[in-house]
Amino acid sequence: MSIVLDQAEIARALKRIAHEIIERNKGVSNLVIIGIPTRGSFLAARLTKILSSLEGVEINSGYLDTTMYRDDLRNSAPRSLGRTEIPLSGVHDRDVVLVDDVLFSGRTIRAALDALSEHGRPKTVQLAVLIDRGHRELPIRADYVGKNLPTNRNERVQVCLSEIDDLDQVKIEGRA
Amino acid sequence: MNRHLLSIADLSKEEAVNLLDTAAELARVTETPVKKLPTLRGRTIVNLFFEDSTRTRISFEAAAKRLSADVINFSAKGSSLSKGESLKDTALTLQAMGADGVVIRHPASGAAHRLASQKWMSGCVINAGDGTHEHPTQALLDAFTIRENLKEPSGDLAGLNVAIVGDVLHSRVARSNVLLLQKLGAIVTLIAPPTLLPVAVNTWGCNVKYDFDSDLNSFDVVMMLRVQRERMEDAFFPSEREYARRYGLNAARLSLLNSRCIVMHPGPMNRGLEISADSADSDKSVIVDQVKNGVAVRMAALYLLLGGE
Amino acid sequence: MSINYLLKNLKDASGKRIELAISNGRFVEVKDAAPDSEIIDGKGLTAIPGLVDLHTHLREPGKEDAETVLSGSKAAAAGGFTAISAMPNTNPIADTAGVVEQVFRLGISHGICDVFPIGAVTLGQQGKILSEMGAMRSSEAKVRIFSDDGHCVWDSLVMRRALEYVKAFDGVIAQHAQDPRLTHGSQMNEGEVSAALGLKGWPAAAEESIIARDLLLNEHVGSRLHICHLTTIGGVELIRWAKKRGIQVTAEVTPHHLLLTDELARSYDPLYKVNPPLRTERDVMALREGVVDGTIDVIATDHAPHPAEDKDCEWAAAAFGMIGLETALSVSYKALVESGLMRFEDLVERMSGAPARIGRYEGHGSLAIGNEANFTLVDTATNWRVETPEIRSKSKNSPYLGLELPVTVRHTYLRGKEVFSQ
């Protein structure tokens, strides 16, 4: 097991992503930040807080559970559902930034795009992830990446966030 | 969770709470413009009804369709207990049709168990009411409704006082509720004439009373059971009038319930017999909520049984 | 012509070394064995008198797809029985001399097992008009036992008359004790399990109240009363009380009521659906005690064959009953001997001597010199497994399928002729 990011590095990565989001979208007025449960939701909340303190305005944010839209449900026992909460502003014609902890096969994001389209037609959909570990199975890429982390398929990347875990940390397990 | 939902007895407390939590999340999602989830796309669910029950069938049908499953309604009323292998032959037909899940309502206790335990078919079986045995999804939607009204939106029913009143002997709703509500920490009191209680009711772990009028204000929930009028002919009680007087929820008893108490009924109601119109329509009544919650709870059950491998 | 045998190295049920000489279909002294006797080494085998069943359903005439006199006889021989008693609930019902003679002759012509027909007490087993019991008694079948089994003789007056009437010819009324009103639609024992399963309960009192009534009636009229298939603590206590009081009564219990309980219904598998129903563990223990102390005179199978489609369905739609001829000895041994409650020779008495006396089945129930050579050789050291293909009965509705049981029947002899061997 080795530690990939510590608390300070996670904070720094999020701050950088926040700046990139503002720069790319030329402000925050049309933004909606949507976290993908479980840990993506906490990252989205942190990101929203950084963005609003940087810009001095409230940012629309919410959560979007992708479980019921997954195409690999039949490969494992049924998962518990995460929370879905779309902000009152809705997503229609908005610049939506999906936030997740780790980008791997891309299947969660595909499910998220499906789920999102049920709630409206965003102007753009962007993707922010803390870790991109490669091994994509679908043509999906992240717009904002905290850290690119080349991995083997059989390694396990674990993101711990103080909201539900004891501390902020990203570690990798199973490395030979 | 097991591969089938046959009896509340097969669910652990954790599984039951998880099912209620899943239902709560699904209820939230389906309140938004999102009416349909793709989860069970390509799966076939058969509603196999050997007994008329439009409301239960519609509830399951709506739940399955909101999960994008293909639904086949198979009404076999009349052929039920007629002769020989009807259940077996039906099961073989369903197997040939490739049913992934079968929702069965049947007048014989244990019919769902038979369907699940024989090697007639491979799909999962959901018991939608078998004779006088159980009706697990009804109990789950009742627990959901109780939790929604009287508790936090998650967790169990610890400490709540629930009265179940009426024909417990013949009630599959009562059997499932006694098991589930006690599993979730509620204190259950059965109130009925002794003729309408099983002789071994003392093994169920709940309180039993013959008098509906004492301590009425102690209950958080009063759940009225449907009384079949034909029971009178088998000498279970002397007359409808006497039954309604002694065990009906009328305006006088309604006024003695405590302020937070809710009134439930699994439907269809015999207004004027076990429940008066003013009780059924009072602001304590959550009977309409029960029907509404039925869809979310059945979606949760279908998802947890059929959503995984 | 019959073959003469000399069987050596045998044990009897008490474990004593014995030899059996058979000549012209009867037991003879070993010293009188015919010189041309075939000598058989019976090492490892125990000789017991052929078992006698007072309660068998053969389904012929009327439902030959479930069982015939022939298939039932083969099953009986395989179970070690040399005499069985065919219950009258066939189609047509055995309530006339004609039907009982037909069944009796079928048994004779097959020659595998003696088949003694039981006559119906009432016409059509309807419980209203007495059948011509005298004619059945005088027929070739010499009917001694009368029963409406499957139905209770519920009408107190009809029961009284039946008991009185058969006194004229030493008949016995075998009562199926079941109050029909208290058991209308009943599916299983009424208690904790029926309450949980939502299956309509069958109270013990529905059986015991009829037993109590019949005991009092018979005390009054002094006939011969036999109570079929006891299943409850209360039933055993009533019989014990009656015997102490001097009331003439005999009682039977089935092997399944000595081993199985209503807990098995939790599977909803109709193989466990039987009339009278399986009761509780406490009842089972009381029944075993009743057999041990002699309150219960005989063990009878209530062998009730049903075709697969009558069991391969929902519980409520299924037929009542289980087959038992081929497993009776093993199941009873397991319940009573293996459990240490009873000696094997006493069990054999309950399954052979006592029922032969109640039915007046001369030539059965004893290995005595001069008696008909109706006997069975069993291997008490070898277990066997109940498997569907091995069942000789036409129907396979055994609750013991897949179960390993003690005591293997090796050979059965009817009047000196080997009718079963494995």
Side-chain angles (χ1 to χ4, degrees):
Chain A
M1 185 198 82
S2 61
I3 294 170
V4 180
L5 293 176
D6 62 16
Q7 186 179 9
E9 289 166 324
I10 291 173
R12 222 174 292 137
L14 287 175
K15 206 170 278 175
R16 176 171 51 76
I17 289 173
H19 281 290
E20 288 174 16
I21 290 172
I22 296 168
E23 193 178 328
R24 164 103 169 252
N25 293 284
K26 300 184 172 61
V28 294
S29 57
N30 199 42
L31 272 188
V32 177
I33 309 294
I34 301 282
I36 297 173
T38 311
R39 285 173 182 71
S41 296
F42 299 120
L43 291 173
R46 290 188 192 188
L47 209 47
T48 305
K49 210 166 144 200
I50 298 169
L51 286 166
S52 49
S53 75
L54 285 173
E55 295 292 293
V57 292
E58 285 288 302
I59 311 276
N60 290 309
S61 69
Y63 324 110
L64 183 66
D65 183 48
T66 62
T67 310
M68 302 298 270
Y69 294 85
R70 296 194 69 94
D71 60 8
D72 53 0
L73 279 173
R74 289 166 84 157
N75 299 341
S76 60
R79 309 158 185 236
S80 294
L81 302 189
R83 196 163 179 80
T84 294
E85 204 148 327
I86 302 298
L88 285 177
S89 63
V91 296
H92 190 72
D93 248 357
R94 295 295 189 130
D95 294 307
V96 173
V97 179
L98 291 173
V99 184
D100 203 359
D101 53 352
V102 180
L103 179 58
F104 187 20
S105 67
R107 289 183 188 273
T108 304
I109 304 305
R110 191 216 47 83
L113 291 171
D114 274 1
L116 190 62
S117 68
E118 293 285 340
H119 294 271
R121 182 183 176 280
K123 185 167 168 223
T124 64
V125 181
Q126 300 157 36
L127 175 62
V129 297
L130 187 59
I131 301 291
D132 180 350
R133 61 169 293 191
H135 304 290
R136 216 76 75 240
E137 294 164 6
L138 297 169
I140 281 169
R141 61 160 182 79
D143 300 272
Y144 315 101
V145 177
K147 184 177 176 64
N148 280 301
L149 184 64
T151 58
N152 286 326
R153 267 184 186 282
N154 48 9
E155 286 168 341
R156 215 167 87 81
V157 175
Q158 197 186 355
V159 175
C160 301
L161 297 173
S162 57
E163 286 90 337
I164 49 167
D165 311 303
D166 288 338
L167 72 175
D168 279 2
Q169 192 177 70
V170 179
K171 41 187 187 177
I172 185 159
E173 283 173 348
R175 181 159 281 186
Chain B
M1 218 159 100
N2 279 336
R3 227 170 66 73
H4 308 288
L5 180 56
L6 306 176
S7 161
I8 293 294
D10 304 335
L11 287 179
S12 68
K13 180 182 172 183
E14 289 66 36
E15 287 168 336
V17 170
N18 180 46
L19 195 147
L20 297 184
D21 290 347
T22 304
E25 198 51 44
L26 289 170
R28 279 167 34 81
V29 173
T30 48
E31 273 166 23
T32 66
V34 182
K35 284 270 187 245
K36 214 164 167 168
L37 297 164
T39 319
L40 297 183
R41 196 152 50 201
R43 302 278 211 151
T44 301
I45 292 169
V46 177
N47 281 324
L48 178 59
F49 276 58
F50 288 87
E51 216 178 54
D52 269 341
S53 175
T54 311
R55 59 173 65 207
T56 304
R57 184 181 58 72
I58 287 177
S59 183
F60 270 107
E61 186 171 353
K65 284 185 168 163
R66 283 188 197 174
L67 293 172
S68 303
D70 296 316
V71 179
I72 298 172
N73 286 313
F74 193 123
S75 169
K77 193 177 173 284
S79 61
S80 55
L81 285 175
S82 46
K83 173 71 191 129
E85 298 189 302
S86 65
L87 183 62
K88 178 181 181 178
D89 289 335
T90 307
L92 296 175
T93 306
L94 299 183
Q95 177 67 13
M97 279 166 21
D100 298 294
V102 175
V103 174
I104 177 174
R105 159 68 64 98
H106 198 288
S109 299
H113 278 80
R114 289 294 283 165
L115 202 56
S117 64
Q118 298 305 102
K119 291 182 176 68
W120 298 332
M121 51 164 283
S122 58
C124 80
V125 177
I126 298 182
N127 182 3
D130 61 327
T132 56
H133 176 226
E134 280 211 46
H135 192 354
T137 58
Q138 176 72 41
L140 286 160
L141 75 87
D142 289 341
F144 184 92
T145 307
I146 295 170
R147 191 173 84 167
E148 189 182 47
N149 278 279
L150 300 175
K151 280 280 194 175
E152 301 298 316
S154 62
D156 61 17
L157 304 177
L160 289 180
N161 276 307
V162 182
I164 301 179
V165 188
D167 184 359
V168 174
L169 180 63
H170 300 100
S171 175
R172 50 193 171 211
V173 176
R175 273 177 186 75
S176 287
N177 263 310
V178 164
L179 289 170
L180 181 63
L181 300 182
Q182 295 196 119
K183 201 172 285 227
L184 294 174
I187 300 144
V188 176
T189 303
L190 302 175
I191 303 172
T195 47
L196 291 175
L197 290 165
V199 287
V201 71
N202 60 312
T203 60
W204 287 8
C206 37
N207 305 316
V208 175
K209 291 185 3 175
Y210 305 137
D211 173 18
F212 194 10
D213 289 310
S214 63
D215 304 322
L216 261 178
N217 67 349
S218 67
F219 297 118
D220 302 300
V221 178
V222 172
M223 184 184 294
M224 303 305 297
L225 299 174
R226 179 178 165 78
V227 173
Q228 313 253 290
R229 290 193 145 89
E230 54 275 19
R231 300 288 176 222
M232 211 173 60
E233 287 144 35
D234 289 332
F236 285 103
F237 54 88
S239 70
E240 285 183 24
R241 191 172 57 183
E242 172 141 329
Y243 184 88
R245 273 200 199 136
R246 293 179 64 84
Y247 296 101
L249 184 61
N250 53 26
R253 290 196 175 101
L254 186 73
S255 70
L256 294 173
L257 298 177
N258 76 45
S259 57
R260 69 193 288 253
C261 180
I262 57 172
V263 171
M264 306 179 78
H265 192 296
M269 291 181 277
N270 293 305
R271 285 174 186 250
L273 182 48
E274 73 268 6
I275 189 163
S276 67
D278 36 7
S279 302
D281 302 331
S282 81
D283 55 4
K284 291 185 175 310
S285 165
V286 295
I287 296 168
V288 178
D289 293 7
Q290 289 175 270
V291 176
K292 188 190 73 187
N293 294 335
V295 177
V297 165
R298 286 167 180 133
M299 284 174 77
L302 289 170
Y303 164 62
L304 292 172
L305 288 169
L306 285 152
E309 36 155 354
Chain C
M1 63 162 249
S2 71
I3 305 164
N4 302 322
Y5 300 99
L6 182 58
L7 293 108
K8 297 190 159 194
N9 281 327
L10 291 170
K11 285 184 291 183
D12 69 6
S14 69
K16 208 175 70 191
R17 288 283 297 274
I18 57 162
E19 294 185 344
L20 285 179
I22 292 120
S23 185
N24 292 320
R26 289 183 180 273
F27 295 118
V28 296
E29 297 281 1
V30 172
K31 64 178 170 52
D32 299 334
D36 64 341
S37 291
E38 183 183 333
I39 294 177
I40 297 170
D41 182 8
K43 196 167 181 307
L45 296 177
T46 301
I48 59 174
L51 304 180
V52 175
D53 189 18
L54 287 187
H55 197 142
T56 323
H57 295 276
L58 291 180
R59 309 297 185 216
E60 184 175 3
K63 199 140 178 45
E64 288 81 359
D65 59 325
E67 196 82 286
T68 60
V69 173
L70 178 61
S71 65
S73 297
K74 285 180 176 167
F81 288 89
T82 53
I84 55 178
S85 313
M87 278 295 177
N89 59 335
T90 47
N91 185 11
I93 285 166
D95 57 1
T96 61
V99 181
V100 293
E101 280 188 347
Q102 182 199 345
V103 172
F104 179 72
R105 283 192 200 123
L106 280 169
I108 296 288
S109 70
H110 299 316
I112 296 167
C113 178
D114 281 349
V115 177
F116 296 105
I118 291 177
V121 177
T122 64
L123 216 57
Q125 296 190 310
Q126 299 282 309
K128 297 197 174 80
I129 300 163
L130 293 185
S131 61
E132 293 178 347
M133 291 186 275
M136 290 189 266
R137 174 68 187 99
S138 308
S139 76
E140 199 185 332
K142 295 188 185 65
V143 177
R144 297 272 191 174
I145 306 177
F146 298 90
S147 179
D148 274 358
D149 184 69
H151 302 274
C152 181
V153 182
W154 187 42
D155 187 311
S156 309
L157 184 70
V158 172
M159 186 60 183
R160 176 198 167 147
R161 297 283 188 251
L163 283 167
E164 285 177 315
Y165 191 73
V166 298
K167 284 166 72 176
F169 40 82
D170 190 31
V172 190
I173 300 294
Q175 174 68 296
H176 174 126
Q178 177 190 354
D179 184 312
R181 285 283 285 156
L182 284 173
T183 54
H184 180 73
S186 293
Q187 298 292 323
M188 67 172 296
N189 178 50
E190 182 165 19
E192 183 177 351
V193 182
S194 70
L197 297 185
L199 288 172
K200 190 160 183 206
W202 189 308
E207 184 169 324
E208 293 156 356
S209 57
I210 297 291
I211 295 173
R213 180 201 70 177
D214 290 353
L215 291 171
L216 296 172
L217 277 176
N218 204 40
E219 180 172 42
H220 187 56
V221 303
S223 181
R224 289 176 67 206
L225 171 66
H226 178 75
I227 303 295
C228 296
H229 40 51
L230 285 187
T231 68
T232 69
I233 299 172
V236 176
E237 285 174 355
L238 283 167
I239 302 289
R240 192 173 285 137
W241 167 83
K243 286 189 166 179
K244 218 162 144 189
R245 202 171 154 97
I247 299 172
Q248 216 180 149
V249 64
T250 54
E252 77 187 30
V253 65
T254 72
H256 46 273
H257 288 110
L258 291 172
L259 190 69
L260 311 178
T261 70
D262 64 351
E263 287 291 327
L264 291 162
R266 290 192 191 272
S267 66
Y268 284 107
D269 188 333
L271 275 181
Y272 305 111
K273 179 174 172 176
V274 62
N275 176 353
L278 300 176
R279 303 284 187 184
T280 68
E281 187 73 29
R282 288 180 58 229
D283 293 299
V284 167
M285 292 307 157
L287 291 165
R288 290 181 182 183
E289 205 186 307
V291 178
V292 171
D293 71 13
T295 301
I296 297 173
D297 303 81
V298 303
I299 296 171
T301 65
D302 198 2
H303 176 83
H306 290 290
E309 64 268 21
D310 286 354
K311 287 290 189 182
D312 210 2
C313 55
E314 310 87 299
W315 181 283
F320 288 101
M322 36 182 74
I323 57 169
L325 283 170
E326 292 163 79
T327 49
L329 180 62
S330 296
V331 169
S332 305
Y333 187 94
K334 185 180 172 74
L336 294 165
V337 181
E338 236 177 38
S339 62
L341 294 172
M342 209 174 181
R343 295 180 309 182
F344 184 42
E345 62 262 44
D346 296 329
L347 172 63
V348 170
E349 160 63 17
R350 301 278 191 280
M351 297 188 74
S352 179
R357 281 194 300 282
I358 292 168
R360 309 285 195 246
Y361 297 162
E362 280 143 32
H364 289 276
S366 160
L367 297 178
I369 301 301
N371 207 6
E372 282 181 9
N374 300 320
F375 67 102
T376 298
L377 302 180
V378 301
D379 175 358
T380 55
T382 305
N383 291 0
W384 61 291
R385 191 177 296 277
V386 187
E387 311 270 19
T388 307
E390 313 298 326
I391 293 176
R392 276 94 177 165
S393 176
K394 266 197 176 181
S395 297
K396 313 298 173 192
N397 54 309
S398 168
Y400 312 110
L401 290 173
L403 217 65
E404 194 177 301
L405 295 173
V407 185
T408 307
V409 175
R410 295 293 184 203
H411 308 273
T412 304
Y413 295 83
L414 181 68
R415 283 179 280 281
K417 190 181 117 192
E418 189 181 61
V419 287
F420 170 77
S421 172
Q422 74 169 2

